[in-house]
Amino acid sequence: DGAGATMQTGFKTLMFVSEMSGRRFARTLFNNVHKAFGGRLRMFVSGGSRLDPELLDEYQKLGFVVYEGYGMTETAPVLTVNPPESIMAGSVGRPLANIDLEVRNTNLEGVGEIWVKGPSVMPGYMNNDAATSEILIDGWLRTGDLGRIDEGGYVYITGRSKDLIVTSAGKNVYPDEVEFRYRDLPYVKELCVLALPSADGLGDGVHAVAVIDEAAEPEMDRSSIEREIREAAATIGEKLPPYQRISAIHFWDHELPKTSTLKAKRGVIREQLISEGKPSKRVQVMKDRADTGGSKTAVAVEKDQEPAWDAIRSIIAAQSQHAANSIKPGMNLLLDLGIDSIGKLDLISRVEAQFGTKISNDQASTVARAADLLSIVGTRKPVGTPSKRDPVAWKKRVVQSDASTTPVTNGRMPAAFMPLRWAVRSGIGALMHSYVRVRAIGRENLPREGGFILAPNHSSHLDAPSVLTAVGNARRVWIAGAEDYFFNTRVKRFLFGKVLDTIPFDRRADGLQGLRRCGEALTCGDGLLLFPEGTRSITGRLQPFKTGIAVLAMEHNVPIIPVHVQNAYQLLRKGQKFIRPGTITVTFKPPIHPPTPEEIDDHFATFRDLAQQTRKVIVETSKERSA
């Protein structure tokens, strides 16, 4: 009615005023709301499940303080919480002072499994040594949760490792994120996103189970409601990346089974759907109760597959440096075993050699778990040795350009835009020679001709301009930059791609396309600036090096120049808004030349050694500069 409409308008107006005033007067504006809560409510604390950032925002506009945190029963229970002075929506906050928290085996998005250590972590499960040894390793507790840490130390939970969906295209999909995207589906009371085997048996499909709220529209028939939901889902999906789109919706007539914290039991739901669909004989999904009472999926190895599985398990053990008997078919190569995209290609090459077969690029893209290799091999018997691999096939997989990918390094800027290029670059140069000064050491170590790779430590956004300033104008140097960060708008694509010679590197894919694009610069005889750590260091300490620099150096036969950047972290670290004045020292060390193909017996071991050799030079230089 009119009165109701007037009240709604007034309420929205007060919400707008609260927002515009920085919420300083929110408690006064909504005094009656606070009185309804007793008038003395100090705060809300949210835990146990994801807090919708929009809901948090609405409560803050009303003048309520809401702290979101994260923990487990096994950690008594709080691990992280948002600090009172700086609440970050969507994050579960920072670790408590006495909690060590790490994200291990991260993918290209920086997402990995969360491990914690501290005085509140339990010593183990009572009378269950098997479960204890699975979750507690050297005092660190594997939470089973997936997440990432931003530059400010805030933790973001993306889901459970056992719920991760790996599509047939090799994409990682987090069910919680997809559920959030589809949260506004009409007539849906409950929604659960989960993985179901794809039709080809390679990878998983993104499915959803919906419980219809028939009371919302009692006069509509069931088929019409389902059609409306599917049409709404299709509309939402058009705005999402293909791998995040729900491929099928299953409708249930009863509530979803839930845990004590009201989270849907995806494992139970998945098994019921599969049992109704009668899965194939080759891939059997079963209950595995070896954990602490929950359920997770495992793949049965049939009798005629045992020789193949023993060989595959031995190859994985050598690659991951895990004991062979600890490797299970359902283990994720990255999350459970720490094998990245380059390591995965090495695995595939070894499997090809061991079984005397060829694995297509399409098949290779679907490999995410140990069971995926077993599915491809089937019942074949080992006929060769994993060391006798086909170097031509390896090189083709790693460096062959994708025909569908537009070359990024051979385009020249139109003459009309050259003044803009000169102005931007001159402005950056002026900054790096005045407010921030760059001191170059060892410039004579740069090759005068031919391709080369600059491999610096990375702890600041000043690293790249400092290195380029130290190089000078003698050589053209391209920069490998995150596609989702530096190329996410039209202006950025023009600025970084055309003006600043940046090559887009897709951190959300498997990384190989980025390496191939970088290879174009080396093929042209230009230099390439590639940060081996993959991302900036939060602490300023040197992180482990990825093998990408070694792959490019060996496959394109170009040297790696280790580069040490000193003092950039002190002038502009992650999360810092303003640059401090000072001097940055850039030291170019003598080039490291990769071995020739004839000298290589083990590709991946050589990659690893070359990356480690580069890192060792930078560590030693850091000690020399600090002495």
Side-chain angles (χ1 to χ4, degrees):
D1 57 11
T6 301
M7 289 184 65
Q8 288 184 19
T9 302
F11 190 85
K12 291 178 180 179
T13 301
L14 291 178
M15 292 283 275
F16 177 77
V17 172
S18 175
E19 178 68 14
M20 291 298 99
S21 66
R23 300 164 189 171
R24 289 190 296 271
F25 310 114
R27 198 173 184 95
T28 301
L29 292 171
F30 295 99
N31 185 51
N32 288 336
V33 176
H34 284 265
K35 286 182 178 179
F37 280 90
R40 300 175 63 185
L41 184 63
R42 292 177 53 214
M43 69 183 72
F44 286 109
V45 178
S46 174
S49 185
R50 183 179 187 275
L51 176 62
D52 187 336
E54 293 182 6
L55 184 61
L56 170 64
D57 183 62
E58 294 297 308
Y59 271 98
Q60 289 179 326
K61 288 178 184 177
L62 291 172
F64 291 106
V65 178
V66 183
Y67 297 119
E68 184 176 7
Y70 160 69
M72 302 172 63
T73 302
E74 290 86 345
T75 61
V78 181
L79 293 168
T80 69
V81 70
N82 268 277
E85 70 281 358
S86 183
I87 296 173
M88 188 70 68
S91 169
V92 294
R94 295 171 175 159
L96 300 182
N98 60 350
I99 295 295
D100 293 323
L101 186 147
E102 294 181 358
V103 177
R104 299 189 180 183
N105 298 329
T106 57
N107 61 15
L108 293 168
E109 301 171 62
V111 175
E113 185 178 16
I114 295 174
W115 292 47
V116 295
K117 187 177 184 180
S120 62
V121 173
M122 68 169 188
Y125 294 109
M126 181 176 292
N127 301 325
N128 195 339
D129 293 339
T132 298
S133 63
E134 182 178 340
I135 197 173
L136 281 171
I137 302 174
D138 296 331
W140 287 88
L141 184 140
R142 297 185 59 177
T143 65
D145 290 310
L146 298 175
R148 61 180 177 86
I149 303 177
D150 70 7
E151 59 272 13
Y154 284 83
V155 180
Y156 295 79
I157 306 297
T158 58
R160 294 284 293 172
S161 59
K162 66 180 180 180
D163 295 330
L164 178 68
I165 304 172
V166 182
T167 69
S168 58
K171 291 286 189 179
N172 291 341
V173 181
Y174 308 101
D176 287 345
E177 290 186 3
V178 179
E179 288 175 1
F180 181 73
R181 303 282 191 182
Y182 286 86
R183 65 190 184 281
D184 293 328
L185 284 176
Y187 313 121
V188 172
K189 182 166 58 176
E190 294 182 82
L191 183 73
C192 175
V193 172
L194 72 169
L196 284 178
S198 58
D200 58 9
L202 302 175
D204 295 323
V206 181
H207 289 240
V209 174
V211 177
I212 294 176
D213 183 8
E214 296 183 351
E217 203 69 52
E219 297 182 0
M220 285 183 66
D221 61 90
R222 178 63 177 256
S223 61
S224 298
I225 291 176
E226 291 184 4
R227 184 177 64 253
E228 291 267 358
I229 293 173
R230 287 195 173 99
E231 289 177 355
T235 300
I236 293 172
E238 291 175 357
K239 302 176 183 177
L240 301 178
Y243 59 88
Q244 282 194 336
R245 296 171 186 167
I246 293 174
S247 58
I249 299 179
H250 310 267
F251 295 97
W252 277 21
D253 296 323
H254 50 84
E255 288 190 358
L256 300 176
K258 299 181 183 68
T259 65
S260 58
T261 56
L262 301 181
K263 298 176 183 176
K265 294 182 176 180
R266 289 192 177 93
V268 174
I269 298 169
R270 185 175 191 267
E271 289 174 10
Q272 183 168 337
L273 289 173
I274 290 177
S275 65
E276 293 172 356
K278 298 180 181 179
S280 65
K281 177 184 178 183
R282 182 65 60 190
V283 182
Q284 299 177 7
V285 181
M286 64 186 72
K287 284 273 190 178
D288 183 357
R289 298 265 180 203
D291 60 350
T292 60
S295 64
K296 58 183 179 181
T297 58
V299 179
V301 178
E302 296 183 9
K303 188 72 175 177
D304 56 355
Q305 290 180 301
E306 289 179 356
W309 171 241
D310 289 340
I312 290 173
R313 185 165 57 177
S314 296
I315 295 172
I316 294 175
Q319 169 72 270
S320 65
Q321 300 180 348
H322 284 67
N325 59 9
S326 69
I327 297 172
K328 309 300 180 189
M331 282 186 168
N332 185 288
L333 297 179
L334 175 64
L335 297 174
D336 295 322
L337 299 169
I339 299 174
D340 61 12
S341 56
I342 301 300
K344 187 179 79 171
L345 287 191
D346 184 69
L347 280 183
I348 291 170
S349 296
R350 289 177 182 271
V351 169
E352 287 178 327
Q354 182 87 76
F355 291 91
T357 186
K358 296 293 182 183
I359 298 176
S360 69
N361 287 339
D362 288 340
Q363 287 178 309
S365 69
T366 68
V367 175
R369 298 181 174 88
D372 298 331
L373 288 169
L374 182 61
S375 297
I376 292 173
V377 170
T379 58
R380 291 187 181 92
K381 301 294 190 293
V383 296
T385 61
S387 61
K388 301 295 183 182
R389 291 166 290 165
D390 182 358
V392 176
W394 165 267
K395 187 179 182 74
K396 183 178 179 181
R397 276 206 181 95
V398 174
V399 302
Q400 185 181 59
S401 295
D402 186 346
S404 64
T405 301
T406 303
V408 295
T409 60
N410 60 0
R412 299 295 175 181
M413 176 173 285
F417 292 106
M418 290 304 293
L420 174 62
R421 178 186 174 91
W422 179 87
V424 172
R425 287 174 165 265
S426 297
I428 295 174
L431 172 68
M432 303 308 292
H433 284 295
S434 55
Y435 186 78
V436 175
R437 297 171 298 281
V438 176
R439 177 190 177 203
I441 299 176
R443 192 183 283 130
E444 67 276 5
N445 290 317
L446 296 174
R448 295 187 177 182
E449 59 183 20
F452 61 94
I453 299 173
L454 297 173
N457 54 303
H458 193 25
S459 61
S460 169
H461 274 320
L462 291 176
D463 293 331
S466 298
V467 173
L468 294 179
T469 301
V471 170
N473 298 321
R475 297 297 308 273
R476 186 178 191 183
V477 176
W478 295 80
I479 312 166
E483 187 169 15
D484 58 295
Y485 187 87
F486 294 106
F487 291 82
N488 58 348
T489 68
R490 182 178 298 177
V491 173
K492 283 186 177 181
R493 284 193 292 273
F494 176 80
L495 177 63
F496 289 100
K498 295 295 184 182
V499 177
L500 298 177
D501 289 348
T502 305
I503 298 173
F505 200 106
D506 187 357
R507 299 184 293 184
R508 296 176 180 174
D510 62 5
L512 293 178
Q513 186 184 71
L515 290 180
R516 291 167 187 152
R517 288 170 171 171
C518 291
E520 294 175 22
L522 300 175
T523 302
C524 295
D526 294 332
L528 173 70
L529 173 57
L530 179 63
F531 294 106
E533 295 168 85
T535 186
R536 284 173 295 162
S537 169
I538 296 175
T539 62
R541 293 191 295 269
L542 196 62
Q543 303 170 95
F545 275 20
K546 300 182 184 298
T547 56
I549 53 165
V551 173
L552 287 170
M554 288 174 58
E555 300 303 338
H556 292 276
N557 192 27
V558 297
I560 299 174
I561 314 296
V563 182
H564 178 254
V565 182
Q566 184 183 32
N567 206 38
Y569 178 76
Q570 285 72 22
L571 302 188
L572 183 65
R573 65 186 64 186
K574 263 191 173 184
Q576 187 176 317
K577 295 182 179 180
F578 301 102
I579 302 173
R580 296 189 179 98
T583 300
I584 296 174
T585 302
V586 178
T587 304
F588 300 101
K589 301 301 290 184
I592 299 175
H593 294 276
T596 62
E598 293 76 19
E599 300 172 317
I600 301 173
D601 292 325
D602 187 328
H603 270 89
F604 188 74
T606 308
F607 293 152
R608 202 160 42 196
D609 292 345
L610 188 54
Q612 186 59 29
Q613 182 183 355
T614 305
R615 186 180 187 277
K616 183 178 179 181
V617 172
I618 294 177
V619 170
E620 291 173 350
T621 306
S622 177
K623 292 178 180 178
E624 292 172 2
R625 302 299 308 166
S626 300

